Amino acid sequence: MVVRYRVDGGFTDALGYLLSATAGSCTVRTRQSDVEIPLALVVAAKEVPPPPPRREARSGRA
């Protein structure tokens, strides 16, 4: 999922997996870390499809 929320000077997005949601916050697991976001700062959120599987490495051309 992606969650857009307010930060000083604008907005930022957290892209990852929703780990938990409570009455006051949600936690998203991004590539770098788990991000706890107060719901009062959230301006938009939506589900996005999972990333495609990684391709196999190409072998050298013959």
Side-chain angles (χ1 to χ4, degrees):
M1 85 171 313
V2 62
V3 178
R4 176 159 291 176
Y5 60 101
R6 287 185 214 94
V7 294
D8 290 338
F11 300 94
T12 192
D13 296 327
L15 175 64
Y17 297 96
L18 180 65
L19 295 181
S20 67
T22 66
S25 69
C26 66
T27 303
V28 176
R29 175 161 288 161
T30 68
R31 285 185 179 177
Q32 289 80 25
S33 65
D34 292 352
V35 180
E36 185 173 354
I37 306 163
L39 294 181
L41 300 180
V42 173
V43 294
K46 70 177 184 177
E47 187 176 353
V48 294
R54 290 186 159 223
R55 293 183 181 181
E56 291 186 29
R58 289 187 182 196
S59 59
R61 292 187 175 201

